[in-house]
Amino acid sequence: MSGDLAIRALILGGTTEAVRLAEACAAIPELEIITSLAGRTRAPATPPGAIRIGGFGGADGLERYLRAQAIDRLVDATHPFADRIGHNAEQACRAAGVPRLRLLRPPWQPRPGDRWIEVDSLAEAARRLPQPARVFLSVGRSDLGAFAGLQQWFLVRTIEPAERCLANARWLAERGPFHLEDELALLRAHAIDVVVTKASGGEATYPKLAAARQLGLPVIMVRRPPPPAGPVVDSVAAALAWLAHRPAEPGALAGRST
Ligand code: NAP
C-alpha cells in the first residue's frame, strides 16, 4: 500500500528478529516496510515487503537513503555485534530527523553449572585460551583472524564458508537452529576442552551452551559492545508497537528526536 497515511519504515536486518518484525508488519496495511541486508550470506531468509541489499556507504550514505526514500522510522534490528551499522544508523537518523529504535535480542543468562569466562574482545578470548586445548570456536567467519597463529586445535563453525580457515582446524559451515543432542555429540566427538562464543543471545544457538554445561566445559564468552544511545527494546512485539504507533499531532513524527 502507498499513500499519505502510510508509515514508511526501514528495518536494518540480517537477523531472525528482523524477519519476524517484517512478517508482523505485513499484517498492518499502514506500514510500508523496506528491509535492508548487508549482503553477507548467499541465501538470506527473505522477509515480506521490499528488500534492498548492500551497504549504504557509511552514515552519510544512509542519511541520503533515508531522505531519498522518505523514511519515517527506522528499526535497527541488526545483530548485537553489528557495531558499525548501529552507530551509522544513530548518526544518520539524528541528521535526517528520523526516529530510530534498537531492537536487541535479550542476552543469554548464566545458569547453575555454567562455567562462563566473560571477556571484552575476541583478542582477549584468544589470549585466555588454555594451551594445549581443543577449542570449539563458534564465531563469525570475519572473527577468525583473532585466532590465527595459535597452537591450539580448533573446531570452527561459521554460517558461510570462510575463504581461509585456521591452520590447525576442522571447519563446519552450518546454520542454526542447533539441537542439544547434536551439540553434545559434536563436543564429545571432537573431545572439545573449551568453547568460544560471542554473547549473541537467541534460541537458535543456545544449545551449545547447554551442552557445554552438561559436559562441565568452560565457555569463553565475548561480551556485547554497548549499543549507541537511544531507545532499545528486546522484543519484536515492542518494536511493532513502536512502528505502528501514530503520533497524535500531524508532523510530530518528522520532528521527534531519538
Ligand atoms: P557491521 O560491522 O556493523 O557493518 C559493517 C558495514 O556493513 C556497515 O558499515 C554497512 O556498510 C554494512 N551493513 C551492515 N549491516 C547492514 C544492513 N543491515 N544493511 C545494509 N548494510 C549493512 O556489521 P557486521 O557485523 O559485518 O554484520 C553485517 C550483517 O550481518 C548485519 O546486518 C548483521 O545483522 C548480520 N549479522 C552479523 C553478525 C555478527 O556477529 N556481527 C552475526 C549474524 C548476522 P555501509 O557503511 O557501506 O553502509
Side-chain angles (χ1 to χ4, degrees), residues 10-16 18 35-41 52-59 61-62 76-88 102 105 139-143 159 198 200:
L10 178 65
I11 300 174
L12 300 177
T15 57
T16 307
T35 297
S36 175
L37 303 172
R40 300 279 198 278
T41 48
R52 66 162 300 288
I53 297 180
F56 296 96
L62 178 52
D76 174 4
T78 57
H79 190 270
F81 282 82
D83 203 25
R84 191 139 36 110
I85 187 71
H87 284 89
N88 287 353
R102 179 68 167 116
R105 65 173 75 139
V139 295
R141 66 180 159 157
S142 59
D143 301 324
I159 296 175
K198 298 193 287 189
S200 301

Side-chain angles (χ1 to χ4, degrees), residues 4-6 18 32 59 69 102 121 136 144 168 173 188 216 221 238:
D4 291 346
L5 292 176
E32 281 182 14
Q69 294 292 323
R102 179 68 167 116
S121 65
F136 179 37
L144 298 180
N168 316 320
R188 284 190 180 117
M221 176 86 65

